[in-house]
């Protein structure tokens, strides 16, 4: 709570405004009608992400309005808005409107409020911070006062607990390869479920199309295109699909996910040579000289937008999706589940199941259904989690 509020007078520093209580909590709608309540953790995050300057209006019975002190006026401690582009220990690097990058600490109250999260702020977070004076030509510094509500969250599961890797990521570019390593559509499906659970859109990209001698990869891409995903057939060797990928990335915040060896680094390098190199320079620039781990960072693209770069990005997976909500993340199931005979149909064994009927008619691809069954059984603990070659790597 700000000092201003404790003194009980909000009228001096900021302007009191009445806002619709539900306006920033209204159910969010996805393109394909997935209700926001199906996304675990979102409500909770909303609560945590409520800007600190906000207070509930003291009068009125269960008023749907709350009083907010606008912080844009002079006297509101001169805070600025920015985007967290890297987190190193307790220091968050924030790109501000003024074009500068600030090394920010996080107010203690904010750390306490977010005690259940390993990091009170994540890359991609929009924050409000107060710049602090620095000596001489030292890089700019500041203190983060509040984190604005998150639109999306990219989580990584570890030991049954989900960790937020990045916030406000618009889309996941799911990268697979036509060969070397072999194409595994079931892995694509896992990433698509995770993207959907985190409220992110997804693009399916198959790289190394130059190695697709049998045409199998073309068929797989067609499978996803048919159910509404944007698809890209790429090859770093022939240059195919690179421009298309660039168009998808431009002006958005994206994460490139996929098994190791499919060519994620090669694709990024084709899109913007030296992208990662330059970020290395930036890290050196912040000059903190401490050996703190970078949890994730946002790489700024010349074409506008950011790419999330994280060592453990491959591990972002399904911990947050309860078994009963799995069906909602298979886009081609969503419109059909209402036709199942039983309202609580799991689509595994029940009579009168519209999903299985659609699989038999060839309207839902059998492999997609198999992915659903596999994930369903995993979530129920009936089968162990599917392991991929780089699973050990991803657990690091
Ligand atoms: P990452 O682990 O996903 O980042 O994959 P890398 O970018 O490191 O690529 C793994 C290997 O695949 C490297 O030896 C690349 O040269 C190779 N590679 C990447 N893209 C292509 C492609 O389009 N075609 C072929 N044939 N090889 C590729
Ligand atoms: Zn069913």
């Amino acid at each position: 709570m700000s000092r201003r509020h404790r003194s009980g007078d909000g009228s001096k520093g900021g302007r009191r405004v009445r806002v619709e209580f539900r306006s920033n909590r209204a159910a969010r709608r996805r393109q394909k009608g997935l209700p926001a309540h199906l996304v675990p953790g979102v409500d909770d995050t909303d609560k945590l992400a409520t800007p600190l300057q906000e207070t509930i209006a003291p009068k009125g019975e269960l008023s749907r309005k709350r009083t907010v002190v606008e912080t844009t006026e002079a006297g509101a401690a001169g805070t600025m808005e920015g985007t967290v582009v890297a987190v190193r220990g307790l220091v968050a690097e924030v790109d501000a409107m003024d074009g500068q990058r600030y090394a920010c600490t996080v107010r203690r109250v904010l750390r306490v409020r977010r005690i259940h999260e390993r990091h009170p702020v994540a890359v991609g977070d929009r924050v409000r911070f107060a710049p602090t004076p620095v000596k001489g030509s030292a890089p700019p510094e500041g203190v983060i006062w509040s984190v604005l509500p998150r639109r999306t969250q990219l989580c990584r599961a570890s030991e049954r607990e989900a960790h937020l890797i990045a916030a406000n990521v618009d889309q996941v570019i799911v990268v697979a390869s036509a060969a070397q390593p072999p194409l595994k559509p079931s892995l694509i499906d896992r990433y698509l479920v995770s993207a959907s659970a985190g409220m992110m859109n997804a693009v399916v990209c198959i790289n190394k199309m130059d190695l697709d001698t049998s045409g199998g990869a073309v068929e797989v891409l067609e499978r996803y295109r048919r159910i509404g995903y944007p698809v890209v057939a790429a090859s770093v060797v022939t240059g195919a699909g690179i421009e298309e990928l660039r168009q998808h990335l431009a002006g958005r915040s994206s994460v490139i996910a996929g098994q190791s060896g499919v060519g994620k680094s090669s694709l990024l390098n084709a899109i913007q040579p030296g992208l990662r190199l330059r970020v290395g320079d930036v890290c050196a620039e912040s000059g903190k000289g401490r050996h703190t781990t970078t949890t994730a960072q946002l790489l700024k693209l010349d074409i506008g937008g950011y790419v999330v770069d994280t060592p453990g990005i491959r591990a972002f997976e399904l911990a947050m999706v309860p078994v009963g909500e799995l069906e909602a993340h298979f886009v081609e199931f969503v419109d059909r589940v209402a036709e199942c005979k039983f309202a609580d149909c799991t689509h595994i064994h029940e009579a009168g199941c519209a999903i299985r009927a659609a699989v038999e008619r060839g309207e839902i691809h059998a492999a997609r259904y198999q992915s659903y069954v596999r994930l369903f059984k995993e979530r129920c603990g009936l089968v162990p989690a599917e392991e991929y070659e780089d699973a050990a790597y991803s657990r690091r």
Side-chain angles (χ1 to χ4, degrees), residues 207-208 210-211 235-237 259-266:
N207 186 37
K208 307 198 190 184
D210 54 291
L211 303 178
S235 169
V236 174
V237 170
Q259 204 183 355
S260 70
V262 295
K264 296 182 297 298
S265 315
S266 307

Side-chain angles (χ1 to χ4, degrees), residues 20-29 36-37 42-43 46 199:
E20 202 60 44
F21 179 80
R22 285 198 174 276
S23 62
N24 69 346
R25 303 205 173 177
R28 291 156 225 209
R29 293 256 142 226
H37 75 268
V42 162
D43 281 351
D46 263 3
M199 305 284 282

Side-chain angles (χ1 to χ4, degrees), residues 29 127 146 200 272 277:
R29 293 256 142 226
V127 296
S146 62
M200 295 168 281
Q272 185 172 325
L277 217 68

Side-chain angles (χ1 to χ4, degrees), residues 35-205:
H37 75 268
L38 286 175
V39 181
V42 162
D43 281 351
D44 196 38
T45 306
D46 263 3
K47 255 173 259 147
L48 293 166
T50 303
L52 292 175
Q53 279 84 357
E54 225 171 70
T55 58
I56 308 287
K59 52 175 188 275
E61 19 73 59
L62 288 176
S63 168
R64 280 277 167 236
K65 307 246 180 194
R66 53 169 65 179
T67 302
V68 175
V69 177
E70 284 191 332
T71 51
T72 48
E73 293 181 18
T79 58
M80 280 201 272
E81 223 175 275
T83 302
V84 176
V85 295
V87 179
R88 283 172 245 287
L90 289 174
V91 176
E93 307 271 341
V94 177
D95 271 3
M97 301 291 210
D98 64 1
Q100 296 198 85
R101 181 164 294 181
Y102 291 78
C104 293
T105 51
V106 180
R107 287 186 72 208
R108 196 174 52 211
V109 62
L110 202 53
R111 294 207 296 267
V112 173
R113 279 161 65 104
R114 292 170 166 243
I115 201 85
H116 299 300
E117 292 177 49
R118 205 157 61 142
H119 301 284
V121 294
V123 297
D125 265 332
R126 298 284 301 160
V127 296
R128 193 153 262 292
F129 72 99
T132 49
V134 290
K135 288 195 200 93
S137 60
E141 291 180 7
V143 178
I144 294 174
W145 281 68
S146 62
V147 179
L148 307 185
R150 291 170 179 147
R151 279 184 294 112
T152 71
Q153 33 190 12
L154 175 67
C155 292
R156 172 176 49 206
S158 75
E159 313 288 319
R160 292 172 179 275
E161 209 184 324
H163 290 299
L164 182 65
I165 302 173
N168 304 325
V169 174
D170 300 311
Q171 62 183 1
V172 181
I173 311 285
V174 180
V175 182
S177 58
Q180 299 174 17
L183 185 52
K184 300 182 195 75
S186 64
L187 188 51
I188 295 177
D189 292 334
R190 300 171 96 85
Y191 282 114
L192 293 179
V193 168
S194 302
S196 170
M199 305 284 282
M200 295 168 281
N201 290 319
V203 173
V204 178
C205 171

Side-chain angles (χ1 to χ4, degrees), residues 168-382:
N168 304 325
V169 174
D170 300 311
Q171 62 183 1
V172 181
I173 311 285
V174 180
V175 182
S177 58
Q180 299 174 17
L183 185 52
K184 300 182 195 75
S186 64
L187 188 51
I188 295 177
D189 292 334
R190 300 171 96 85
Y191 282 114
L192 293 179
V193 168
S194 302
S196 170
M199 305 284 282
M200 295 168 281
N201 290 319
V203 173
V204 178
C205 171
I206 300 186
N207 186 37
K208 307 198 190 184
M209 289 303 285
D210 54 291
L211 303 178
D212 184 37
T213 44
S214 66
V218 175
E219 189 277 317
V220 172
L221 275 180
E222 177 56 21
R223 189 189 299 174
Y224 292 102
R225 195 196 56 74
R226 216 178 296 142
I227 54 175
Y229 287 103
V231 300
V232 179
S235 169
V236 174
V237 170
T238 68
I242 303 300
E243 189 47 42
E244 235 178 303
L245 211 48
R246 201 177 272 131
Q247 295 304 321
H248 282 294
L249 294 171
R252 301 195 178 103
S253 174
S254 314
V255 62
I256 316 271
Q259 204 183 355
S260 70
V262 295
K264 296 182 297 298
S265 315
S266 307
L267 286 170
L268 271 181
N269 204 46
I271 283 157
Q272 185 172 325
L275 184 63
R276 283 181 160 162
L277 217 68
R278 236 176 294 162
V279 166
D281 294 345
V282 170
C283 297
E285 227 171 69
S286 77
K288 289 283 153 186
R290 271 187 296 142
H291 292 282
T292 44
T293 336
T294 303
T295 47
Q297 56 191 349
L298 298 189
L299 312 184
K300 201 167 193 166
L301 295 166
D302 294 340
I303 46 177
Y306 291 98
V307 170
V308 181
D309 189 37
T310 312
I313 205 71
R314 294 160 194 87
F316 99 100
E317 48 177 64
L318 293 166
M320 310 257 304
V321 184
V323 67
E325 292 170 8
L326 211 46
E327 61 180 24
H329 302 300
F330 279 76
V331 287
E332 72 276 48
F333 289 18
V334 174
D335 288 340
R336 292 185 168 96
V337 293
E339 292 155 29
C340 291
K341 187 174 167 193
F342 302 105
D344 59 351
C345 185
T346 64
H347 325 302
I348 302 288
H349 56 78
E350 294 88 343
C353 173
I355 300 300
R356 287 194 299 147
V359 174
E360 269 153 36
R361 285 197 302 271
E363 292 167 14
I364 288 177
H365 200 285
R368 286 276 295 169
Y369 178 67
Q370 282 313 315
S371 286
Y372 169 80
V373 172
R374 173 84 205 190
L375 290 171
F376 185 93
K377 289 182 173 170
E378 269 182 29
R379 304 319 292 157
C380 294
L382 297 171

